[in-house]
Amino acid sequence: MAVTVKTERELALMREAGRIVAGVHALAQKVARPGITTAEMDRLAEEYIRDHEGIPSFKGYRGFPASTCISINEEVVHGIPGPRTLSEGDVISVDVGVIYQGFHGDASVTFALEPVSKEAVWLMRLGQETLAYAIEQVRPGNRLSDISWAIQSYAEERGASVVRQYISHGIGRQMHEDPQLPNFGPPGRGLRLRPGMTFAIEPMLCAGDYRVDDSQRGDGWTVVTVDKRLSVHYEHTVAVTQDQPKILTCL
Ligand code: MG
């Protein structure tokens, strides 16, 4: 599939999808507290999406049963909401995708319940900074792997590792479009960025080793760090414009 360049109208629809995604993130952080189940958080997320005329894109995707992925502590991505309750000190990633009038928004945020460990404070801040630095590279004329290198170099220079097995991606009429965008690798390679291209940029950072495993939980989905150490996941859907990168998944 060719890399798609979106029109202004299409970007506006992706912006609306992204606004709903950001609303879910705000809601999730508001309702998260010790004792709430991840299934209840997911129910509230789906209700919010449908109330705003969106469709939860994760639900049914390759059989995924929920509207959000909620991944806790050593879980990296693709955690399935269910009867698990949140506990004090948990580090919680909420990944959500929304379709609005045929166009997708996809983003993830990681936050923690008090009392937050020093390691969690460090890794969450680094995750946010890494994503921000990556987004800075989303400019016309840059090459795709300039984004990859920005992520890897920024995170590794500051002591975290970057997951290799799951990567960033193009997005638009499909949740996952070309190009595939690794969160690691040398700069200066691949596609030249052009206005109207849109990417879901989603570094997954680990406090320890970057190796992950999707078979340990036996649910076919949940990805955990092999060393069981902490992981965070931040993601925005971003458009290339003539000048500044434009984040689509914000309020
Ligand atoms: Mg994504």
Side-chain angles (χ1 to χ4, degrees):
M1 185 172 68
V3 175
T4 58
V5 171
K6 284 78 182 179
T7 64
E8 287 299 325
R9 180 188 155 273
E10 291 169 337
L11 289 173
L13 294 174
M14 290 183 70
R15 178 72 185 91
E16 288 313 307
R19 209 184 299 279
I20 301 170
V21 167
V24 171
H25 283 156
L27 177 65
Q29 289 172 83
K30 197 175 81 176
V31 301
R33 56 179 163 71
I36 192 172
T37 64
T38 53
E40 175 64 4
M41 291 178 67
D42 183 72
R43 189 189 68 75
L44 292 167
E46 180 169 354
E47 185 177 82
Y48 181 94
I49 293 167
R50 296 194 190 280
D51 280 350
H52 289 79
E53 296 169 17
I55 298 167
S57 57
F58 292 4
K59 198 159 198 177
Y61 181 82
R62 297 184 178 172
F64 191 77
S67 298
T68 55
C69 298
I70 302 182
S71 308
I72 300 171
N73 300 330
E74 78 279 10
E75 296 174 354
V76 181
V77 287
H78 303 167
I80 304 175
R84 179 174 180 173
T85 55
L86 299 186
S87 300
E88 291 184 354
D90 275 348
V91 174
I92 304 136
S93 297
V94 177
D95 191 355
V96 59
V98 169
I99 308 167
Y100 181 79
Q101 294 188 17
F103 285 86
H104 286 253
D106 181 10
S108 178
V109 69
T110 302
F111 57 94
L113 299 184
E114 298 286 346
V116 188
S117 72
K118 278 188 176 161
E119 184 174 70
V121 169
W122 163 71
L123 195 62
M124 289 191 295
R125 180 176 302 155
L126 185 54
Q128 291 166 50
E129 288 177 0
T130 301
L131 178 57
Y133 187 60
I135 290 171
E136 274 303 303
Q137 320 309 317
V138 180
R139 292 171 187 278
N142 275 356
R143 285 185 182 272
L144 197 63
S145 85
D146 294 334
I147 303 170
S148 310
W149 174 242
I151 291 168
Q152 183 181 12
S153 61
Y154 194 96
E156 288 185 352
E157 280 168 14
R158 290 160 181 80
S161 70
V162 178
V163 170
R164 305 285 202 269
Q165 201 169 323
Y166 298 88
I167 62 175
S168 301
H169 52 96
I171 182 169
R173 283 187 189 276
Q174 307 293 328
M175 179 159 63
H176 295 116
E177 295 189 352
D178 281 344
Q180 297 191 36
L181 172 48
N183 298 314
F184 58 93
R189 297 183 184 178
L191 184 78
R192 257 190 216 289
L193 307 189
R194 286 169 48 199
M197 291 178 176
T198 46
F199 306 102
I201 302 176
E202 50 177 320
M204 290 144 251
L205 268 50
C206 303
D209 197 293
Y210 66 74
R211 284 175 301 168
V212 299
D213 184 357
D214 68 359
S215 68
Q216 291 193 17
R217 291 289 160 82
D219 61 14
W221 283 100
T222 311
V223 176
V224 300
T225 53
V226 168
D227 62 10
K228 298 290 181 357
R229 289 188 63 187
L230 187 62
S231 180
V232 299
H233 178 212
Y234 292 91
E235 175 179 24
H236 271 307
T237 299
V238 183
V240 185
T241 77
Q242 297 289 353
D243 46 327
Q244 297 291 319
K246 183 167 186 190
I247 296 174
L248 302 174
T249 37
C250 51
L251 289 173

